[in-house]
Amino acid sequence: MAQKPLSDLERKKSISLRKIPLVDNVVGVKDSFNRHLHFTLIKDRIVATNRDYFTALCHTVRDNLTEKWIRTQRDYYEKDPKRVYYLSMEYYMGRSLGNTMVNLGIEGECDEALYQLGLDIEELEDNEVDAGLGNGGLGRLAACFLDSLATQGYAAYGYGIRYEYGIFTQTINDKGEQVEIPDHWLEHGNHWEKERPEYLLPVHFYGRLESDDKGYHYKWVDTDTVFAMPYDVPIPGYMNNTVNTMRLWTAKAKKGFDLNYFQGGDYIGAVLDRNNAENISRVLYPNDNFFVGKELRLKQEYFLVSATLQDIVRRYKTSQYGSRNLVRTDFTNFPDKVAIQLNDTHPSLAIPELMRVFMDVEDLSWDEAWKIVTKTFAYTNHTVLPEALERWSCNMLEKILPRHLVIIYEINSRHLKNIERLYPGDMDRIRRMSLVEEGYDKRINMAHLCIVACYAVNGVAAIHSEIIKDSIFKDFYEVWPKKFQNKTNGVTPRRWLLVCNPILSDLICDKLGEDWIVDLSQLRRLEPFIKERRFTEDFIKAKQQNKDKLARYIKSTYGIDVNSSSMFDCQFKRIHEYKRQLMNILYVIVLYNRIKANPNAEFVPRTVLIGGKAAPGYTTAKEIIKLINCVAKVVNNDPIIGDRLKIVFVENYIVSLAQKIIPAADLSQQISLAGTEASGTGNMKFMLNGALTIGTLDGANVEMCEEVGEENMFIFGMKVEDVDKLGKIGYNPRDYYERIPEVKKAIDQILKGYFTPQEKDAFDHLIVKHLLDNDRFYVLADFEAYVEAQEKASELFKNPTIWYKKAILNVAAAGKFSSDRTIRQYADEIWNVKPTRKIWSPTKTIQK
Ligand SMILES: *Cc1c(COP(=O)(O)O)cnc(C)c1O
């Protein structure tokens, strides 16, 4: 590929960059830290608070990053490789300071410098608020992908929305109920972003269409305009001098206000009205795996898509391929320069939007535009739950995005003609495959739009990718079998092992060196060490230190004493019926009753840790949280139970809390109904940190089992086929309730108010409507198998040496679940891109 030569001016500019002092040694860090405290924060050590020190440290670290960021972006400009654009409504980034220091390789220097200044770096790091611009797995996946893209040197960009309020902060009131507090995360500033007010872009809504010819071209006029202002966030790769960009858009009211107001003399009204437009980027919708068809959400999705595509088209035009000298840009090479990945259907309006830009702005014909569009986009499906699939009302689309609705109808009409040609007279198939769902409230099925327009469609774990081919997208698979792919999810080993678990990381480095950090398959080399007594002992010590640390955290934040030699049994994820936290808490009640019935019998002590947020409007999920807390209150205060069984609902599960909990886990609960969890990524984080999994054959659990062997997991319950069968023959949860005495007893206790003496009917709705009448996710059908698996876990925990050998084997088998591997597969099998920058290697010197 041709490389643009540097002009003399550009050469001079590049030399001037080298004069900036580097913050990469202890003295340099101290100098920079003091300089920022003085000049940036305008404080001295007498008045400085811990937050000031934290801020000074962020600025110091940022200084190290800046030059690498500029150089990386210039390198992309000069080499002009094919770019990857990841479009996501969510980026669940968590904290940046610790991760950035590690990826830049200056963690040791910063640690030492602050120590010399009499400061504790860990304490400072706790001042950082999480960037919670995501709900759960989908948003965290996007964050892990950005880390892996940068670490492997791909010319990639993450595009999203800079919500002013991220995922709400969860608190628990004295009745055990979830209370949501708005997450005003920008209150004390965000040290990792750079606003770019000079790159404002207009985004249009409402208005009407004027047809300017007999063809497919329209003018979209009389629109309301909102501006999108970019904020750039640096994404450092691991030790490879590469810093990519995540660009987040903020809504800004139209410059100069609305002239009509001024003519009417309503100056105050004009100023206040700005607020309305700027609401678009105000708040993240807090629903996980659930579609809410609200106008504001539709506007958010289009806002992201419109601003991002303008940016992508502008960048294409400034590259040599766009040949900006021509009056009319040649877009035929667009798919060779641009790959756009849609994280679920949330950004799927990008498809009609790019058609609109090509036709109405760039003057291409429908066929020219369609040919390019269908080689540009790829779609990732994240769920098969019907309530999660986006189906936008046509009435709403017509009002807010009239041009896009016309384009979608045209795509549909051509698509259905094609289907009619392939299956003449098969009217039912045509109805099933339509993008338009007829009915009282006509809707557009956005997944169908994606499958028709994208050149690749992928699921996120092997089993999930099979399920979409033979259930929800079967008809489409029959027409386009080659479009359908699998890309099993992964997590970044930097944040989810190196950063969060330094004790275990050091132990692994002792045995394997440092290769595993960028090549996680190296962990396999740990397998032989289970025969070394010393290694197993050190592993157990590492786990124990992590458990002790978590125990201290629980004591200091909740005042609960936990026995850190007990089994740490963890279920952390969004609260959802399909994830079956209800099954977990029912088993806890069974255990409680067993101890009460037989207080002198042997019992393997457990600390059951549960955490996760419920969507604020999801009543049943909120009742599950309340039930957990009410059971905890009774069990934890029962003197007969003592420290044999404790239940802690750890409130406000966020990324930084996950980093504290996961390294301390013994048992990881991944107990969703088979066929409902597309992949899961929490399961992978726990495995990587040496927890054993109790789980169903669902999502990525299936592949974890293939990697580590069934003998090193506690697999239980119905498989997808069994679930289908039981659904067909008919499932009555009351049969199980009547037949299993321990289940009956636990449920009767809940219904009689045993755990809620002040409010005896607290769980009638949850237990009667969502368990006994309609147990949609087969909790009772899987319960006996679950109890059996739990008993196996307890039995094994009596012998820590065998337990922790299996834990080591889990770490050794976790290599597949690196997001580096996932990203390589996307790059090779979907995007057709190669790395532009180098990958770090511990044996070779770092690139220039
Ligand atoms: C990884 C992660 C998730 C996803 O967990 P699952 O068990 O896969 O649902 C959710 N929230 C946070 C904070 C995470 O780190």
Side-chain angles (χ1 to χ4, degrees), residues 92 135-138 140 288 491 496 572-574 578-579 653-656 658 662 669-670 677 679-683 685-686:
Y92 204 170
N135 274 288
L138 175 144
R140 183 54 232 176
D288 187 72
V491 300
W496 296 113
F572 285 85
K573 47 184 76 256
R574 288 296 292 255
Y578 85 82
K579 292 177 185 276
Y653 182 54
I654 56 177
V655 172
S656 60
I662 292 168
Q669 296 222 31
Q670 307 298 338
E677 186 78 272
S679 162
T681 50
N683 47 1
K685 300 169 197 167
F686 281 100

Side-chain angles (χ1 to χ4, degrees), residues 419 423 426-434 475 478:
I419 300 305
Y423 303 92
D426 192 344
M427 294 317 286
D428 197 53
R429 183 182 296 262
I430 290 169
R431 182 193 53 74
R432 291 196 309 265
M433 294 185 74
S434 177
D475 295 325
E478 287 169 3

Side-chain angles (χ1 to χ4, degrees), residues 650-667:
V650 185
E651 67 187 37
N652 200 37
Y653 182 54
I654 56 177
V655 172
S656 60
L657 185 59
Q659 292 176 226
K660 295 185 205 296
I661 287 164
I662 292 168
D666 290 313
L667 187 66

